[in-house]
Amino acid sequence: MTAGPAPPTPAEVAAARWFGGKASAISTVEVEDRLDLGGGAAISILLVDGADRYVWTEGQVAAAVVTGTVPEHSAWRFRHSGVTAGLEGAGERPIGIDQSNTSYVVGERVVVKLYRRLWPGTHPEVELVEHLTGRVDSVPAFLGAVEWRGHAVALLQEFVPGGRDGWSWCGDAVLAGDVTGIGRLGALSAELHAALAGMGADAAGPGVLRGWKDAAGAQLDRVLAVVPGEVGAELRAAEPRIRAELAGLAAPAEPPLLQRVHGDFHIGQILRAGDRLFVLDFEGEPTRRVAQRAAPGTALRDVAAMLRSFDHLGRFVERERAGTPADVERWIAGARTAFLDGYGPVDRTLLRALEFEKACYEFVYAAEFEPGWVYAPRAGMRWLLEQGG
């Protein structure tokens, strides 16, 4: 460990948008390790309250890791592909919103995603992007990774110029009442799942299905514990119906296949550049541990998450782009139909149960990362309950 400046204060860490422990106060922040990359750039591993590790950066870290090296016996490991050559001295710029991670574009050729919360073990995004590179053309290519003592610190990936994030291009589609691109997204999603199934697939047994139901029930318990006020009261009133819907996880029409999945599939992960669609962010749900995110599951969980996101996007457009005429309910229904037509046959009973599971997760995410977002899962849960199966 190299000497460096004093660690950030608990208040500074707590104020960071990507810090996930906002429900409780921080007592201590220690610098467990620090890598000086030169030119004022450095990466620190912070130990928060003696338990959770986070990445703190100084200076232009992304540009430094693209071309940098570390001593052979260091705790750090840089993996680079040849594509990063010639970027010495290149600048960097932030891309997207600083949430559970932070991304930068270096030299308009490489995206460096810094994982702010560190988990031990093989990171699912690093593993999946590396596997999919060369197998599908809808995932920007793997270019390298940064690791510290077996923890993934950053992913290096191909930059797609001229891309628009899903909330932007699809938000415009909501206003226009246009679902033409959603059918293509359904077909692309099926292709992606077929490529991921190449990493191995097996039928889910009764024990797995019971585990899904029990985990969903425990997640609902958590939702009821962390969501306050009027929204929490509304959820408690609907609890019996929600639990009945979640019971469908243990009773699919036939045993689903277990395989690797995206893990946090929603419209915000779909980049559009011209007429092409690209899938991003394979790190999985940020509130789950790496082992949980990397565990095989049903591809229908991705499908359910994407369908929920159409609903959330519609609510977002209705709320944030007020004054622009849009038939949001009609667009949501049309987007669901177009996606499923493009994707192919699915078990509708299991899919509905998975949509309820995902809706519950969104309340947890809102409570821990984006309290102001709770209106979207609230409206989404109301919609699901109104459908009645």
Side-chain angles (χ1 to χ4, degrees), residues 60-134:
Q60 294 206 345
V61 165
V65 302
V66 166
T67 56
T69 58
V70 294
E72 183 178 350
H73 300 293
S74 168
W76 300 81
R77 182 186 179 207
F78 285 11
R79 286 200 286 148
H80 294 152
S81 74
V83 180
T84 62
L87 288 173
E88 294 81 1
E92 67 179 53
R93 62 178 176 84
I95 182 173
I97 299 173
D98 187 2
Q99 291 184 308
S100 54
N101 55 63
T102 312
S103 295
Y104 298 89
V105 179
V106 177
E108 300 305 305
R109 284 170 48 192
V110 180
V111 173
V112 177
K113 176 189 282 188
L114 291 164
Y115 299 119
R116 293 298 191 169
R117 176 74 183 271
L118 294 191
W119 303 98
T122 301
H123 197 286
E125 183 166 42
V126 174
E127 183 182 19
L128 295 185
V129 171
E130 192 165 11
H131 169 80
L132 291 168
T133 296

